[in-house]
Amino acid sequence: MKTPLYFILTLNFRKCFSYVFQNPKRPCRNLLCWTILFTFVFQYGCGHMLKRKLTAPARFQSLDGSSPFLKAHMHDGKVYILSSWKVDSENRTVTGQGELLNVNRETLETGELTIPIDSVAIFETNTQHIPPEVQMRAVIIISSYVGVGLMIYGLSQIQIGSCPTFYVSDGTQPILQAEGFSASVAPVLEASDVDALYRARPTDNRFEVQMKNEMLETHVVRHVDLLAVKRESGGRVFQTTDGTFLETDTIVEPSAAAASEGDCLPLLRAVDGQERFSEADPEYLATRETLDLEFENVPLGSDGLVIAARESLMSTFLFYQGLSYMGRSAGQWIAALETGDTNLKKAVTGIGQTLGGIEVLLQDDTGQWISVGEVKETGPLAVDVHLLKLPPLKRERVNIRLRLTKGHWRLDAVKLVKLGKQCHPIRLSPIVVNQNGVSADEAHQLLTDPTEALTTLPGDTYTLVYQLPKDFESYELFLESRGYYLEWMREKWLADENPALAAMMVFNPERALRVLAPEFKKVEVDIEKKFWGSRYEKQQ
């Protein structure tokens, strides 16, 4: 039975975190807040182990009827939480007392509820017990009512995850060309993401995209549509930071490029996967560096800068380190985020804001560097191609400076362009969806119905087939995906649980980026190799 103190602590959980860091000169109340926080995390987060069993709907007969709770995750992101439930095998339904929550975890229905088994993405049961060997130490407990998909999974060797990945042929073989909604780590953060398929080379008007869930995550995908933009022969189309599509037939590569390591021009001429990157500062992860580029024979009136880049795994490391520090209280943090707390939403973006994007500076006639904008997109996996509009250039020799956080960005190419007319894309939804070479009609229906969503689990791979126009070679292709994803907690992360450091990362990012610099430097050299070697493949 929960005591009154439990409810007092629950109600004040978020307020205490905010107060501690917004009122550093009030030590007495700070002490009270920290007392509440640590009491909640350690008293009410310890001593109970939840055994979780995930069951596909096709195996509903194996559901453990002794479990006091049953969660049914639906394809559209809703979740049923039932108690005193029973399975009706003949009618293929589950009935029980409980509640239905929407994607933002707001209650839609309560009372006796019946769920058609065929409409469920996955069942989750919880059997609670208190093993003697763990009664005196902290172990993970994640409330069934959080419902955001943070689950223990035994593959502790996999340390980091990713969003949905999309593979498209470059004319020879499928290569990673896009990743979906990388910043959407909870239902409340659901968003659309548009990525240029810059290296796509379709060979006919039947165009395939492979969508993969390669890590320990649950992906909720609303749609994956192609945006096809007609272009003139020999031209290209780019998307600006405000979402406008503009055509160009003039692209100028840099004639010189220099950074702290010296000449880096060969790495920045083409979008080819050969990237320029640096190592992070060992004392402060937000330390900036600059790259100077020179362009010659620039057509007068050129007014755009194209930057092909992706984040390094620094931001990914920080995100998962934050989850690790949250430990047992991770569910509370994400539940608070889902309630629409605007202050918390602003706070959790602090690390990203401090690391910043790629700032672009243009040298004027007096030699001064003038900031003209910034490009930025969350995502450490696939190179994305960004277009930043510039003031019309009036000189044939142009100097551009990029200012960015050391070790945070991997640059593939930088080019000047002369922009032409605005273009309007046509939207193409998949005509067929296949899984393991077999038509997946239900998945196709979920991806093409605006009221539904496709839920994918680790190791799932779908092939999405699109019908391009007959003159397919005349189109620039972009991929628009919409959805969100849910992280699965790993048991190995619990060793780093530290509520104080978790709070520091949210409310004092500058300090956190100094404290965590030595930790990131320990893994920086091998983090890319370990990440790509940790992808999850479903056993057939």
Side-chain angles (χ1 to χ4, degrees), residues 188-311:
V188 72
L189 298 177
E190 179 179 321
S192 295
D193 185 20
V194 177
D195 297 291
L197 302 180
Y198 193 79
R199 298 173 67 185
R201 298 293 183 270
T203 55
D204 56 47
N205 64 349
R206 183 181 171 88
F207 187 76
E208 294 187 353
V209 175
Q210 270 195 343
M211 178 177 71
K212 297 184 177 184
N213 183 336
E214 300 187 85
M215 293 292 169
L216 290 179
E217 297 171 346
T218 299
H219 298 165
V220 179
V221 186
R222 297 288 176 193
H223 68 251
V224 182
D225 291 343
L226 277 184
L227 303 180
V229 186
K230 190 71 176 287
R231 65 189 178 193
E232 298 297 329
S233 178
R236 300 300 304 250
V237 175
F238 299 95
Q239 185 186 36
T240 65
T241 53
D242 66 3
T244 303
F245 295 91
L246 297 172
E247 187 178 29
T248 181
D249 59 4
T250 304
I251 300 178
V252 181
E253 295 179 359
S255 55
S260 58
E261 72 274 17
D263 180 27
C264 56
L265 179 62
L267 298 174
L268 300 179
R269 281 180 164 167
V271 183
D272 56 6
Q274 302 298 311
E275 301 167 330
R276 184 272 166 187
F277 62 94
S278 62
E279 293 188 1
D281 185 88
E283 296 182 356
Y284 181 44
L285 292 181
T287 299
R288 300 301 199 263
E289 64 174 342
T290 59
L291 282 77
D292 289 330
L293 301 105
E294 184 178 275
F295 296 85
E296 295 180 341
N297 302 318
V298 177
L300 298 181
S302 295
D303 54 355
L305 185 71
V306 172
I307 299 178
R310 64 183 174 105
E311 285 186 322

Side-chain angles (χ1 to χ4, degrees), residues 15 22 68 86 139 159 187 214 220 353 360 422 490:
K15 291 181 181 179
Q22 293 174 5
K86 62 181 180 180
V139 296
Q159 296 301 301
E214 300 187 85
V220 179
Q353 293 296 327
V360 178
Q422 181 176 347
R490 283 69 145 174

